[in-house]
Amino acid sequence: MRYIGDWVVKENYRIHDHYSLLKLTLDKEIPEMMPGQFVQVRVDDSPSTFLRRPISVHFIDRQANELWLLIQIIGDGTRRLAKSRPGDSINLIYPLGNGFSLPEDIFSAPDTNKKLLLVGGGGGVAPLLYLGARLSALNYKPVFLSGARSQNDLLQIDEFRKFGTVYLATEDGSCGEKGFVTNHSILESGDFDYLYICGPKPMMIAVAKYARQHSIPGEVSLENTMACGMGVCLCCVEKTVSGNMRTCIEGPIFNINTLTWQI
């Protein structure tokens, strides 16, 4: 079920120059949202921002009744959102799209010893925190592999460590292993049962290629440009083996084997 309504800003934490963490709340219980789903955010007081902005569900804190959104500051709309103050009202359409498959949907029988690897690059880590929390609540031990340009660009590492083991890669070698996530030594064994991937498209293609080479099933969260978020405008169409699919409706989560990437 979709909803539209106003949320109240509880906290706006500036992580660094390019990212801000918004914590929003409702005057009622937050409805069920799946890891991998997103919201469409209306940006007020930004004359150049005509369309809502699609933003991944970063985390749901049920005890505090909070929705967390990780805002990457790249244009007028997101700059305005990053200036939000506690008490401000932000209008959302929520939740949208499909979600990541959970182990009960993937494996024929419960087995918390299954090795689940969550790979994120840059701001692509956003949907993986809530996914990791859900997997941890199901008694799985997710492994996170996060990459960025430098130590200063890594996001929410302490939060990820609450739910699993974290491995890091930075292009300049300032934290973790030097290089891209696709070159991290943890991938050398190929000993994983399922992969979840989100980040820049070249990174996702490379990790998907790795998954296929090692016969590991998995899913990606696509970040195609979305205008309406409701499946009407067709801006976010992705080519799949079953034809063109709308990322905002049939996605943003896709099984890697359904995509026609040249890998």
Side-chain angles (χ1 to χ4, degrees):
M1 182 177 293
R2 296 172 182 162
Y3 304 88
I4 182 170
D6 294 329
W7 294 63
V8 176
V9 177
K10 283 185 67 176
E11 183 180 352
N12 180 4
Y13 170 68
R14 192 66 169 261
I15 298 175
H16 57 58
D17 289 346
H18 304 296
Y19 284 90
S20 191
L21 177 64
L22 281 183
K23 297 183 179 182
L24 310 177
T25 190
L26 282 174
D27 58 2
K28 55 188 176 184
E29 185 178 358
I30 295 175
E32 178 64 21
M33 298 189 193
M34 289 294 296
Q37 290 188 301
F38 67 98
V39 301
Q40 286 282 104
V41 184
R42 191 181 73 200
V43 183
D44 297 325
D45 301 321
S46 178
S48 64
T49 308
F50 302 102
L51 301 172
R52 290 177 180 262
R53 292 294 181 261
I55 298 176
S56 297
V57 173
H58 183 44
F59 188 70
I60 300 288
D61 185 334
R62 289 288 170 190
Q63 289 188 327
N65 204 45
E66 292 175 350
L67 163 65
W68 296 9
L69 300 179
L70 189 61
I71 309 296
Q72 184 178 9
I73 306 166
I74 54 177
D76 291 343
T78 48
R79 274 194 292 269
R80 176 65 189 87
L81 290 174
K83 294 178 181 178
S84 300
R85 298 178 179 180
D88 286 351
S89 178
I90 296 181
N91 188 270
L92 307 182
I93 302 175
Y94 61 98
L96 298 171
N98 64 352
F100 286 110
S101 299
L102 296 177
E104 62 211 48
D105 307 312
I106 301 167
F107 305 118
S108 57
D111 183 356
T112 55
N113 291 316
K114 294 288 188 182
K115 295 182 179 179
L116 310 177
L117 178 63
L118 286 60
V119 185
V125 301
L128 301 181
L129 181 63
Y130 188 34
L131 173 62
R134 290 290 292 269
L135 293 174
S136 177
L138 294 170
N139 296 317
Y140 287 83
K141 298 177 177 63
V143 175
F144 300 97
L145 174 56
S146 182
R149 292 180 179 177
S150 71
Q151 180 176 3
N152 293 333
D153 298 307
L154 293 167
L155 298 167
Q156 299 288 86
I157 300 305
D158 289 340
E159 293 294 333
F160 282 103
R161 286 184 172 133
K162 294 177 182 178
F163 305 113
T165 305
V166 176
Y167 293 87
L168 303 173
T170 51
E171 293 178 30
D172 65 358
S174 56
C175 188
E177 293 187 11
K178 184 175 182 178
F180 301 115
V181 292
T182 48
N183 304 124
H184 198 284
S185 60
I186 194 177
L187 299 177
E188 292 176 2
S189 67
D191 186 24
F192 293 98
D193 296 295
Y194 208 80
L195 294 181
Y196 301 96
I197 312 160
C198 187
K201 191 169 184 177
M203 184 218 80
M204 291 194 291
I205 290 175
V207 179
K209 181 177 181 179
Y210 161 85
R212 289 188 178 181
Q213 289 172 341
H214 292 82
S215 300
I216 306 171
E219 295 173 341
V220 297
S221 176
L222 299 189
E223 298 182 323
N224 296 19
T225 300
M226 301 180 196
C228 71
M230 307 289 286
V232 177
C233 69
L234 304 181
C235 288
C236 63
V237 165
E238 180 72 25
K239 186 179 293 185
T240 75
V241 296
S242 301
N244 290 334
M245 297 288 183
R246 298 162 296 178
T247 300
C248 66
I249 299 294
E250 288 82 25
I253 311 303
F254 289 92
N255 187 290
I256 58 176
N257 292 322
T258 67
L259 298 172
T260 59
W261 292 340
Q262 298 301 310
I263 60 176

